[in-house]
Coordinates of all heavy atoms in Angstrom, one line a residue:
M1 N 26.7 5.1 -18.3 CA 26.3 6.5 -18.2 C 26.8 7.0 -16.9 O 26.7 6.4 -15.9 CB 24.7 6.5 -18.3 CG 24.1 7.9 -18.2 SD 22.5 7.7 -18.8 CE 21.6 8.4 -17.5
T2 N 27.3 8.2 -16.9 CA 27.9 8.8 -15.7 C 26.9 9.7 -15.1 O 25.9 10.2 -15.6 CB 29.1 9.7 -16.1 OG1 28.7 10.7 -17.0 CG2 30.1 8.8 -16.8
R3 N 27.0 9.8 -13.8 CA 26.1 10.6 -12.9 C 26.8 12.0 -12.8 O 28.0 12.2 -13.1 CB 26.0 10.0 -11.6 CG 25.3 8.7 -11.6 CD 25.0 8.4 -10.1 NE 26.1 8.3 -9.3 CZ 26.8 7.2 -9.0 NH1 26.5 6.1 -9.5 NH2 27.9 7.3 -8.2
N4 N 26.0 12.9 -12.4 CA 26.4 14.2 -12.1 C 27.2 14.2 -10.8 O 26.6 14.2 -9.8 CB 25.3 15.2 -12.1 CG 25.8 16.7 -11.8 OD1 27.0 17.0 -11.8 ND2 24.8 17.6 -11.8
I5 N 28.5 14.2 -10.9 CA 29.3 14.0 -9.7 C 29.8 15.4 -9.1 O 30.4 15.4 -8.2 CB 30.5 13.1 -10.0 CG1 31.4 13.6 -11.0 CG2 30.1 11.7 -10.2 CD1 32.7 12.9 -11.2
S6 N 29.4 16.4 -9.7 CA 29.8 17.7 -9.1 C 28.8 18.3 -8.1 O 28.9 19.4 -7.7 CB 29.9 18.8 -10.3 OG 28.7 19.0 -10.9
T7 N 27.8 17.5 -7.7 CA 26.9 18.0 -6.7 C 27.4 17.7 -5.3 O 28.2 16.8 -5.0 CB 25.5 17.3 -6.9 OG1 24.6 17.8 -6.0 CG2 25.6 15.8 -6.7
T8 N 27.0 18.5 -4.4 CA 27.3 18.3 -3.0 C 26.2 17.6 -2.2 O 26.3 17.3 -1.0 CB 27.6 19.7 -2.3 OG1 26.5 20.5 -2.4 CG2 28.8 20.2 -2.9
L9 N 25.1 17.3 -2.8 CA 23.9 16.7 -2.2 C 24.2 15.3 -2.0 O 24.8 14.6 -2.8 CB 22.7 16.9 -3.1 CG 22.3 18.4 -3.3 CD1 21.1 18.5 -4.3 CD2 21.9 19.1 -2.0
R10 N 23.6 14.7 -0.9 CA 23.7 13.3 -0.7 C 22.8 12.5 -1.6 O 21.7 13.0 -1.9 CB 23.4 13.0 0.8 CG 24.4 13.6 1.7 CD 24.0 13.3 3.1 NE 23.7 11.9 3.3 CZ 23.1 11.3 4.4 NH1 22.8 12.1 5.3 NH2 22.9 10.0 4.5
R11 N 23.3 11.4 -2.1 CA 22.4 10.6 -2.9 C 21.3 9.9 -2.1 O 21.6 9.5 -0.9 CB 23.3 9.5 -3.7 CG 24.1 10.1 -4.7 CD 24.9 9.1 -5.5 NE 24.1 8.0 -5.9 CZ 24.5 6.8 -6.2 NH1 25.8 6.6 -6.2 NH2 23.8 5.8 -6.5
R12 N 20.1 9.7 -2.6 CA 19.1 9.0 -2.0 C 19.4 7.5 -2.2 O 19.8 7.0 -3.2 CB 17.8 9.3 -2.6 CG 17.3 10.6 -2.2 CD 15.9 11.0 -2.7 NE 15.0 10.0 -2.4 CZ 13.7 9.9 -2.8 NH1 13.3 10.8 -3.5 NH2 12.9 9.0 -2.6
R13 N 19.2 6.8 -1.0 CA 19.4 5.3 -1.2 C 18.1 4.8 -1.8 O 17.0 5.0 -1.3 CB 19.6 4.8 0.3 CG 19.9 3.4 0.4 CD 20.2 2.9 1.7 NE 21.4 3.5 2.3 CZ 21.7 3.4 3.5 NH1 21.0 2.7 4.5 NH2 22.9 3.9 4.0
R14 N 18.3 4.0 -2.8 CA 17.2 3.4 -3.5 C 17.1 2.0 -3.0 O 18.0 1.2 -3.0 CB 17.5 3.4 -5.1 CG 17.5 4.8 -5.6 CD 17.3 4.8 -7.2 NE 17.6 6.0 -7.7 CZ 16.6 7.0 -7.9 NH1 15.4 6.7 -7.7 NH2 17.0 8.2 -8.4
T15 N 15.8 1.7 -2.7 CA 15.6 0.3 -2.2 C 14.8 -0.4 -3.3 O 14.1 0.2 -4.3 CB 14.7 0.3 -1.0 OG1 13.4 1.1 -1.3 CG2 15.3 1.0 0.2
D16 N 14.9 -1.8 -3.3 CA 14.2 -2.6 -4.3 C 12.7 -2.7 -3.8 O 12.5 -3.2 -2.8 CB 14.9 -3.9 -4.3 CG 14.2 -4.9 -5.3 OD1 13.4 -4.4 -6.1 OD2 14.6 -6.2 -5.2
P17 N 11.8 -2.2 -4.7 CA 10.4 -2.3 -4.3 C 9.8 -3.7 -4.2 O 9.0 -4.0 -3.3 CB 9.7 -1.5 -5.4 CG 10.6 -1.4 -6.5 CD 12.1 -1.5 -5.9
M18 N 10.4 -4.6 -4.8 CA 9.9 -6.0 -4.7 C 10.4 -6.6 -3.5 O 9.7 -7.5 -2.9 CB 10.4 -6.8 -6.0 CG 9.5 -6.5 -7.2 SD 7.8 -6.6 -7.0 CE 7.5 -8.3 -6.7
Q19 N 11.5 -6.2 -3.0 CA 12.2 -6.8 -1.8 C 11.4 -6.2 -0.7 O 11.0 -7.0 0.3 CB 13.7 -6.3 -1.7 CG 14.3 -6.9 -0.5 CD 15.7 -6.5 -0.4 OE1 16.2 -5.6 -1.1 NE2 16.5 -7.2 0.4
A20 N 10.9 -5.0 -0.7 CA 10.1 -4.4 0.3 C 8.7 -5.1 0.4 O 8.2 -5.3 1.5 CB 9.9 -2.9 0.1
Y21 N 8.2 -5.4 -0.8 CA 6.9 -6.1 -0.9 C 7.0 -7.4 -0.3 O 6.2 -7.9 0.5 CB 6.4 -6.1 -2.3 CG 5.2 -6.9 -2.6 CD1 3.9 -6.3 -2.3 CD2 5.2 -8.2 -3.1 CE1 2.8 -6.9 -2.5 CE2 4.0 -8.8 -3.3 CZ 2.8 -8.2 -3.0 OH 1.6 -8.9 -3.2
D22 N 8.1 -8.2 -0.7 CA 8.2 -9.5 -0.2 C 8.5 -9.7 1.3 O 8.2 -10.7 1.9 CB 9.4 -10.2 -1.0 CG 9.1 -10.5 -2.4 OD1 7.9 -10.5 -2.8 OD2 10.1 -10.6 -3.2
A23 N 8.9 -8.6 1.9 CA 9.2 -8.5 3.4 C 8.0 -8.4 4.1 O 8.0 -8.6 5.4 CB 10.2 -7.5 3.7
L24 N 6.8 -8.0 3.5 CA 5.6 -7.9 4.2 C 5.0 -9.1 4.6 O 5.3 -10.2 4.1 CB 4.6 -7.1 3.3 CG 5.0 -5.7 2.9 CD1 3.9 -5.2 1.9 CD2 5.0 -4.7 4.1
P25 N 4.2 -9.1 5.7 CA 3.4 -10.3 6.1 C 2.6 -10.8 5.0 O 2.0 -10.0 4.2 CB 2.6 -9.9 7.4 CG 3.3 -8.6 7.8 CD 3.9 -7.9 6.6
R26 N 2.4 -12.1 5.0 CA 1.5 -12.8 3.9 C 0.2 -12.2 3.8 O -0.2 -11.9 2.7 CB 1.6 -14.2 4.1 CG 0.8 -15.0 3.0 CD 0.9 -16.5 3.2 NE 2.3 -16.9 3.4 CZ 2.9 -17.6 2.4 NH1 2.3 -17.8 1.2 NH2 4.1 -18.0 2.6
P27 N -0.6 -12.0 4.9 CA -1.9 -11.5 4.7 C -1.9 -10.0 4.1 O -2.8 -9.7 3.3 CB -2.5 -11.4 6.1 CG -1.7 -12.2 6.9 CD -0.3 -12.4 6.3
L28 N -0.9 -9.2 4.4 CA -0.8 -7.9 3.9 C -0.5 -8.0 2.5 O -1.0 -7.1 1.7 CB 0.2 -7.1 4.8 CG 0.4 -5.6 4.4 CD1 -1.0 -4.9 4.4 CD2 1.3 -5.0 5.3
R29 N 0.4 -8.8 2.1 CA 0.7 -9.0 0.6 C -0.4 -9.4 -0.2 O -0.8 -8.9 -1.3 CB 1.9 -10.0 0.4 CG 3.2 -9.5 0.9 CD 4.3 -10.4 0.3 NE 4.1 -11.8 0.4 CZ 4.6 -12.6 1.3 NH1 5.4 -12.1 2.2 NH2 4.2 -13.9 1.4
A30 N -1.3 -10.3 0.4 CA -2.5 -10.8 -0.3 C -3.5 -9.6 -0.5 O -4.1 -9.4 -1.5 CB -3.1 -11.9 0.5
W31 N -3.6 -8.8 0.6 CA -4.5 -7.6 0.5 C -4.1 -6.6 -0.6 O -4.8 -6.2 -1.4 CB -4.7 -6.9 1.9 CG -5.6 -5.8 1.8 CD1 -7.0 -5.9 1.9 CD2 -5.4 -4.5 1.5 NE1 -7.6 -4.7 1.8 CE2 -6.6 -3.7 1.5 CE3 -4.2 -3.7 1.3 CZ2 -6.7 -2.4 1.3 CZ3 -4.3 -2.4 1.0 CH2 -5.5 -1.7 0.9
M32 N -2.7 -6.3 -0.6 CA -2.2 -5.4 -1.6 C -2.4 -5.9 -2.9 O -2.6 -5.1 -3.9 CB -0.8 -5.1 -1.3 CG -0.5 -4.3 -0.1 SD 1.3 -4.0 0.2 CE 1.7 -3.0 -1.3
A33 N -2.3 -7.2 -3.2 CA -2.4 -7.7 -4.5 C -3.7 -7.6 -5.1 O -3.9 -7.4 -6.3 CB -2.0 -9.2 -4.5
Q34 N -4.8 -7.4 -4.2 CA -6.2 -7.3 -4.8 C -6.6 -5.8 -4.6 O -7.8 -5.5 -4.8 CB -7.1 -8.3 -4.1 CG -7.2 -8.2 -2.6 CD -8.0 -7.3 -2.0 OE1 -9.1 -7.0 -2.6 NE2 -7.7 -6.6 -0.9
A35 N -5.8 -4.9 -4.0 CA -6.2 -3.5 -3.7 C -6.5 -2.8 -5.0 O -5.9 -3.0 -6.0 CB -5.2 -2.8 -2.8
A36 N -7.5 -1.9 -4.9 CA -7.9 -1.1 -6.1 C -6.9 0.0 -6.3 O -6.7 0.5 -7.4 CB -9.3 -0.5 -5.9
L37 N -6.2 0.5 -5.3 CA -5.4 1.6 -5.4 C -3.9 1.1 -5.2 O -3.7 0.1 -4.7 CB -5.6 2.6 -4.2 CG -7.0 3.3 -4.2 CD1 -7.1 4.1 -2.9 CD2 -7.1 4.2 -5.5
P38 N -2.9 1.8 -5.8 CA -1.6 1.4 -5.7 C -0.9 1.8 -4.5 O -0.1 2.7 -4.4 CB -0.9 2.1 -6.9 CG -1.7 3.4 -7.1 CD -3.2 3.0 -6.7
W39 N -1.1 0.9 -3.4 CA -0.6 1.2 -2.1 C 1.0 0.9 -2.2 O 1.4 -0.1 -2.8 CB -1.2 0.2 -1.1 CG -2.5 0.6 -0.8 CD1 -3.6 0.3 -1.5 CD2 -3.1 1.3 0.3 NE1 -4.8 0.8 -0.9 CE2 -4.4 1.4 0.2 CE3 -2.4 1.9 1.4 CZ2 -5.1 2.1 1.2 CZ3 -3.2 2.5 2.4 CH2 -4.6 2.6 2.2
S40 N 1.8 1.7 -1.5 CA 3.2 1.4 -1.4 C 3.5 0.4 -0.2 O 2.8 0.5 0.8 CB 3.9 2.7 -1.2 OG 3.8 3.2 0.1
P41 N 4.5 -0.5 -0.4 CA 4.8 -1.3 0.7 C 5.2 -0.5 2.0 O 4.8 -1.0 3.1 CB 6.0 -2.1 0.2 CG 5.9 -2.0 -1.2 CD 5.3 -0.7 -1.6
A42 N 5.8 0.6 1.9 CA 6.2 1.4 3.0 C 4.9 1.9 3.8 O 4.8 1.8 5.1 CB 7.0 2.6 2.6
S43 N 4.0 2.4 3.1 CA 2.7 2.9 3.8 C 2.0 1.8 4.4 O 1.4 1.9 5.5 CB 1.9 3.7 2.9 OG 1.4 2.9 1.8
C44 N 1.8 0.6 3.7 CA 1.1 -0.5 4.3 C 1.9 -1.0 5.5 O 1.3 -1.3 6.5 CB 1.0 -1.6 3.2 SG -0.3 -1.2 2.0
R45 N 3.2 -1.1 5.4 CA 4.0 -1.6 6.5 C 3.8 -0.6 7.8 O 3.7 -1.1 9.0 CB 5.5 -1.6 6.2 CG 6.3 -2.2 7.3 CD 7.8 -2.4 6.9 NE 8.3 -1.2 6.3 CZ 8.7 -1.2 5.0 NH1 8.4 -2.3 4.2 NH2 9.2 -0.1 4.4
R46 N 3.8 0.6 7.6 CA 3.6 1.6 8.7 C 2.2 1.4 9.3 O 2.1 1.3 10.6 CB 3.7 3.1 8.2 CG 4.9 3.7 8.3 CD 4.8 5.3 8.1 NE 4.2 5.6 6.8 CZ 4.8 5.7 5.6 NH1 6.1 5.4 5.6 NH2 4.1 6.0 4.6
I47 N 1.1 1.2 8.5 CA -0.2 1.0 9.0 C -0.3 -0.3 9.8 O -0.8 -0.4 11.0 CB -1.3 1.0 7.9 CG1 -1.3 2.4 7.4 CG2 -2.6 0.5 8.4 CD1 -2.1 2.5 6.1
W48 N 0.4 -1.3 9.3 CA 0.4 -2.6 9.9 C 1.2 -2.6 11.2 O 0.6 -3.1 12.3 CB 1.1 -3.7 8.9 CG 1.1 -5.1 9.4 CD1 2.0 -5.6 10.2 CD2 0.1 -6.1 9.2 NE1 1.7 -7.0 10.4 CE2 0.6 -7.3 9.8 CE3 -1.0 -6.1 8.4 CZ2 -0.2 -8.4 9.7 CZ3 -1.8 -7.3 8.4 CH2 -1.4 -8.4 9.0
A49 N 2.3 -2.0 11.2 CA 3.1 -1.9 12.5 C 2.4 -1.2 13.6 O 2.4 -1.6 14.7 CB 4.5 -1.3 12.1
K50 N 1.8 0.0 13.2 CA 1.1 0.8 14.2 C -0.1 0.0 14.8 O -0.2 0.0 16.0 CB 0.6 2.0 13.6 CG -0.1 3.0 14.5 CD -0.5 4.3 13.9 CE -1.0 5.2 15.0 NZ -2.4 5.7 14.7
A51 N -0.8 -0.7 13.9 CA -2.0 -1.4 14.4 C -1.6 -2.6 15.2 O -2.2 -2.9 16.4 CB -2.8 -1.8 13.3
R52 N -0.6 -3.2 14.8 CA 0.0 -4.4 15.7 C 0.4 -4.0 17.0 O 0.2 -4.6 18.0 CB 1.1 -5.1 14.9 CG 0.6 -5.9 13.7 CD -0.4 -6.9 14.0 NE 0.3 -8.2 14.3 CZ -0.3 -9.3 14.6 NH1 -1.7 -9.4 14.5 NH2 0.4 -10.4 14.9
S53 N 1.1 -2.7 17.0 CA 1.6 -2.3 18.3 C 0.4 -1.9 19.3 O 0.6 -1.8 20.5 CB 2.5 -1.1 18.2 OG 1.8 0.0 17.7
E54 N -0.8 -1.6 18.7 CA -1.9 -1.3 19.4 C -2.7 -2.6 19.7 O -3.8 -2.5 20.4 CB -2.9 -0.4 18.7 CG -2.2 1.0 18.4 CD -3.0 1.9 17.5 OE1 -4.0 1.5 16.9 OE2 -2.6 3.0 17.2
G55 N -2.2 -3.7 19.3 CA -2.8 -5.0 19.8 C -3.9 -5.5 18.8 O -4.6 -6.4 19.1
E56 N -4.0 -5.0 17.6 CA -5.0 -5.4 16.7 C -4.6 -6.7 16.0 O -3.5 -7.0 15.7 CB -5.4 -4.3 15.6 CG -6.1 -3.2 16.1 CD -6.5 -2.2 15.0 OE1 -7.0 -2.8 14.0 OE2 -6.4 -1.0 15.2
R57 N -5.7 -7.5 15.7 CA -5.5 -8.7 14.9 C -5.3 -8.4 13.4 O -5.7 -7.4 13.0 CB -6.6 -9.7 15.1 CG -6.9 -10.2 16.6 CD -8.1 -11.0 16.8 NE -9.2 -10.3 16.2 CZ -10.1 -10.9 15.4 NH1 -10.0 -12.2 15.0 NH2 -11.2 -10.3 14.9
A58 N -4.8 -9.4 12.7 CA -4.6 -9.3 11.3 C -5.8 -8.9 10.5 O -5.8 -8.0 9.6 CB -3.9 -10.4 10.7
D59 N -6.9 -9.6 10.8 CA -8.2 -9.4 10.2 C -8.7 -7.9 10.4 O -9.2 -7.3 9.5 CB -9.3 -10.3 10.6 CG -9.0 -11.7 10.2 OD1 -8.2 -11.9 9.2 OD2 -9.5 -12.7 10.8
D60 N -8.5 -7.4 11.7 CA -8.9 -6.1 11.9 C -8.0 -5.0 11.1 O -8.6 -4.0 10.7 CB -8.8 -5.7 13.4 CG -9.7 -6.7 14.2 OD1 -10.8 -7.1 13.7 OD2 -9.3 -7.0 15.4
I61 N -6.8 -5.3 11.0 CA -5.9 -4.4 10.3 C -6.3 -4.4 8.8 O -6.4 -3.3 8.2 CB -4.4 -4.8 10.4 CG1 -4.0 -4.8 11.9 CG2 -3.5 -3.9 9.6 CD1 -2.7 -5.4 12.2
L62 N -6.6 -5.5 8.2 CA -7.0 -5.6 6.9 C -8.3 -4.8 6.6 O -8.6 -4.1 5.6 CB -7.1 -7.0 6.4 CG -5.7 -7.8 6.4 CD1 -6.0 -9.2 5.9 CD2 -4.7 -7.1 5.5
A63 N -9.2 -4.9 7.6 CA -10.5 -4.3 7.5 C -10.2 -2.7 7.6 O -10.9 -2.0 6.9 CB -11.4 -4.6 8.7
R64 N -9.3 -2.3 8.4 CA -8.9 -0.9 8.5 C -8.4 -0.4 7.2 O -8.7 0.6 6.8 CB -7.8 -0.7 9.6 CG -7.3 0.7 9.7 CD -6.1 0.8 10.6 NE -6.4 0.7 12.0 CZ -5.6 1.2 12.9 NH1 -4.4 1.6 12.6 NH2 -5.9 1.1 14.2
L65 N -7.5 -1.2 6.5 CA -7.0 -0.8 5.2 C -8.1 -0.7 4.1 O -8.1 0.2 3.3 CB -5.9 -1.8 4.8 CG -4.6 -1.7 5.5 CD1 -3.7 -2.9 5.2 CD2 -3.8 -0.5 5.0
A66 N -9.0 -1.7 4.2 CA -10.1 -1.6 3.3 C -11.0 -0.4 3.5 O -11.4 0.2 2.4 CB -11.0 -2.9 3.4
R67 N -11.2 0.0 4.7 CA -12.0 1.2 5.0 C -11.2 2.4 4.5 O -11.8 3.3 3.9 CB -12.2 1.4 6.5 CG -13.4 0.4 7.0 CD -13.8 0.8 8.4 NE -12.7 0.9 9.4 CZ -12.2 -0.1 10.1 NH1 -12.8 -1.3 10.0 NH2 -11.2 0.0 10.9
A68 N -10.0 2.4 4.7 CA -9.2 3.6 4.2 C -9.2 3.6 2.7 O -9.2 4.8 2.1 CB -7.7 3.5 4.7
E69 N -9.1 2.6 2.0 CA -9.2 2.5 0.6 C -10.6 3.0 0.1 O -10.6 3.8 -0.8 CB -8.9 1.1 0.1 CG -8.8 1.0 -1.4 CD -8.3 -0.3 -1.9 OE1 -8.9 -1.3 -1.6 OE2 -7.4 -0.3 -2.8
Q70 N -11.6 2.5 0.6 CA -13.0 2.9 0.3 C -13.1 4.5 0.5 O -13.8 5.1 -0.3 CB -14.1 2.1 1.1 CG -14.3 0.7 0.6 CD -14.6 0.8 -0.9 OE1 -15.5 1.5 -1.4 NE2 -14.1 -0.2 -1.6
K71 N -12.6 5.0 1.6 CA -12.7 6.4 1.8 C -12.0 7.2 0.8 O -12.4 8.2 0.3 CB -12.0 6.7 3.2 CG -12.2 8.1 3.7 CD -11.8 8.4 5.0 CE -11.9 9.8 5.4 NZ -11.4 10.0 6.9
A72 N -10.7 6.7 0.4 CA -10.0 7.4 -0.7 C -10.7 7.3 -1.9 O -10.7 8.2 -2.7 CB -8.6 6.7 -0.8
L73 N -11.3 6.1 -2.3 CA -12.1 5.9 -3.5 C -13.2 6.9 -3.6 O -13.7 7.4 -4.6 CB -12.4 4.5 -3.8 CG -11.3 3.6 -4.2 CD1 -11.8 2.1 -4.1 CD2 -10.7 3.9 -5.5
S74 N -13.9 7.0 -2.5 CA -15.1 7.9 -2.4 C -14.8 9.3 -2.6 O -15.6 10.2 -3.1 CB -15.8 7.7 -1.1 OG -15.1 8.2 0.0
R75 N -13.5 9.7 -2.3 CA -13.2 11.1 -2.5 C -12.7 11.4 -3.9 O -12.6 12.5 -4.4 CB -11.9 11.5 -1.5 CG -12.3 11.6 -0.1 CD -11.1 12.2 0.6 NE -9.9 11.5 0.4 CZ -9.2 10.7 1.2 NH1 -9.7 10.5 2.4 NH2 -8.1 10.1 0.9
D76 N -12.4 10.3 -4.7 CA -12.0 10.4 -6.0 C -13.2 10.9 -6.9 O -14.2 10.2 -7.1 CB -11.5 9.1 -6.6 CG -10.9 9.2 -8.0 OD1 -10.9 10.3 -8.5 OD2 -10.5 8.2 -8.4
R77 N -13.1 12.0 -7.5 CA -14.2 12.6 -8.2 C -14.5 11.8 -9.5 O -15.5 11.9 -10.1 CB -14.0 14.1 -8.5 CG -12.9 14.4 -9.4 CD -12.8 15.9 -9.6 NE -11.7 16.2 -10.4 CZ -11.7 16.3 -11.8 NH1 -12.9 16.0 -12.4 NH2 -10.7 16.5 -12.5
L78 N -13.5 11.1 -10.0 CA -13.6 10.3 -11.2 C -14.1 9.0 -11.0 O -14.5 8.3 -12.0 CB -12.2 10.2 -12.0 CG -11.6 11.6 -12.3 CD1 -10.2 11.4 -12.9 CD2 -12.5 12.3 -13.3
S79 N -14.3 8.5 -9.8 CA -14.8 7.2 -9.5 C -16.4 7.2 -9.7 O -17.0 8.2 -9.4 CB -14.4 6.6 -8.2 OG -15.1 7.4 -7.1
L80 N -16.9 6.1 -10.2 CA -18.3 6.0 -10.4 C -19.1 5.8 -9.2 O -18.6 4.9 -8.3 CB -18.6 5.0 -11.5 CG -17.9 5.1 -12.8 CD1 -18.2 3.9 -13.6 CD2 -18.5 6.3 -13.5
P81 N -20.2 6.4 -8.9 CA -20.9 6.2 -7.6 C -21.5 4.7 -7.7 O -21.9 4.2 -8.8 CB -22.0 7.2 -7.7 CG -22.1 7.7 -9.0 CD -20.7 7.5 -9.7
G82 N -21.5 4.1 -6.6 CA -22.0 2.7 -6.5 C -21.0 1.6 -7.1 O -21.4 0.4 -7.1
L83 N -19.9 2.1 -7.6 CA -18.9 1.1 -8.1 C -18.1 0.6 -6.9 O -17.4 1.3 -6.2 CB -18.0 1.7 -9.1 CG -17.2 0.7 -9.9 CD1 -17.9 -0.3 -10.7 CD2 -16.2 1.6 -10.8
S84 N -18.2 -0.7 -6.7 CA -17.3 -1.4 -5.7 C -16.6 -2.6 -6.1 O -16.9 -3.1 -7.2 CB -18.2 -1.7 -4.4 OG -19.0 -2.8 -4.8
R85 N -15.7 -3.0 -5.3 CA -15.0 -4.2 -5.7 C -15.8 -5.4 -5.9 O -15.7 -6.2 -6.8 CB -13.8 -4.5 -4.7 CG -13.0 -5.6 -5.0 CD -12.0 -5.9 -3.9 NE -11.4 -4.6 -3.6 CZ -10.2 -4.2 -4.0 NH1 -9.6 -5.0 -4.8 NH2 -9.8 -3.0 -3.7
A86 N -16.8 -5.4 -5.0 CA -17.8 -6.6 -5.1 C -18.5 -6.6 -6.3 O -18.7 -7.7 -7.0 CB -18.8 -6.5 -3.9
S87 N -19.0 -5.4 -6.8 CA -19.8 -5.4 -8.0 C -18.9 -5.7 -9.2 O -19.3 -6.3 -10.2 CB -20.5 -4.0 -8.2 OG -19.4 -3.0 -8.4
L88 N -17.6 -5.3 -9.2 CA -16.7 -5.7 -10.3 C -16.4 -7.2 -10.3 O -16.4 -7.7 -11.4 CB -15.4 -4.9 -10.1 CG -15.4 -3.3 -10.3 CD1 -14.1 -2.7 -10.0 CD2 -15.8 -3.1 -11.8
T89 N -16.2 -7.8 -9.2 CA -15.9 -9.2 -9.2 C -17.0 -10.0 -9.6 O -17.0 -11.0 -10.3 CB -15.3 -9.7 -7.9 OG1 -16.3 -9.4 -6.8 CG2 -14.0 -9.0 -7.6
Q90 N -18.3 -9.6 -9.2 CA -19.5 -10.3 -9.6 C -19.8 -10.2 -11.2 O -20.2 -11.1 -11.7 CB -20.7 -9.7 -8.8 CG -20.6 -10.1 -7.3 CD -21.7 -9.4 -6.5 OE1 -22.6 -8.6 -7.1 NE2 -21.8 -9.7 -5.3
S91 N -19.4 -9.0 -11.7 CA -19.7 -8.9 -13.1 C -18.7 -9.6 -14.0 O -19.0 -10.0 -15.1 CB -19.7 -7.4 -13.5 OG -18.3 -6.8 -13.3
K92 N -17.5 -10.0 -13.4 CA -16.5 -10.8 -14.1 C -16.9 -12.2 -14.3 O -16.6 -12.9 -15.2 CB -15.1 -10.7 -13.6 CG -14.5 -9.2 -13.8 CD -13.1 -9.3 -13.1 CE -12.5 -7.9 -13.3 NZ -11.2 -7.9 -12.6
G93 N -17.5 -12.7 -13.2 CA -17.7 -14.2 -13.1 C -19.1 -14.7 -13.7 O -19.7 -14.7 -14.5

């Protein structure tokens, strides 16, 4: 299949999303694997790098991500009140 080569716009460089995910620190990958929201590796890497530059420990950064996710979920008008990851995992087991 041919591309539209008559454009003067620069092509966007496409990165491999799995390669970006694999390049993340192990604790961050583990957190993303169980996250309720579809976080991008780029946004998680930005949060991780900023917090590390401020001297935060890995556990504190993961807690910061969890708080951000809970805040986003609480803003979601379609999410059920009182529904949390803990209640979901307890009901499965």
Side-chain angles (χ1 to χ4, degrees):
M1 188 159 121
T2 60
R3 293 187 309 262
N4 183 2
I5 57 174
S6 65
T7 184
T8 58
L9 299 174
R10 293 179 53 192
R11 287 184 46 201
R12 284 182 54 182
R13 191 178 286 175
R14 296 195 189 264
T15 59
D16 180 13
M18 286 308 292
Q19 186 178 16
Y21 177 81
D22 291 340
L24 295 174
R26 185 178 303 260
L28 186 53
R29 287 195 316 259
W31 183 86
M32 285 182 68
Q34 57 85 37
L37 297 174
W39 290 80
S40 74
S43 63
C44 286
R45 184 177 45 252
R46 262 193 310 275
I47 293 168
W48 184 271
K50 182 176 186 238
R52 290 300 275 186
S53 71
E54 294 170 358
E56 287 193 42
R57 297 177 308 133
D59 293 338
D60 297 333
I61 299 169
L62 297 177
R64 177 192 283 197
L65 285 164
R67 285 191 307 272
E69 183 173 54
Q70 284 301 317
K71 185 175 180 182
L73 287 172
S74 69
R75 287 191 310 254
D76 185 3
R77 67 181 179 87
L78 298 176
S79 65
L80 300 174
L83 186 63
S84 68
R85 181 180 315 261
S87 66
L88 287 174
T89 55
Q90 289 172 356
S91 66
K92 287 181 182 177

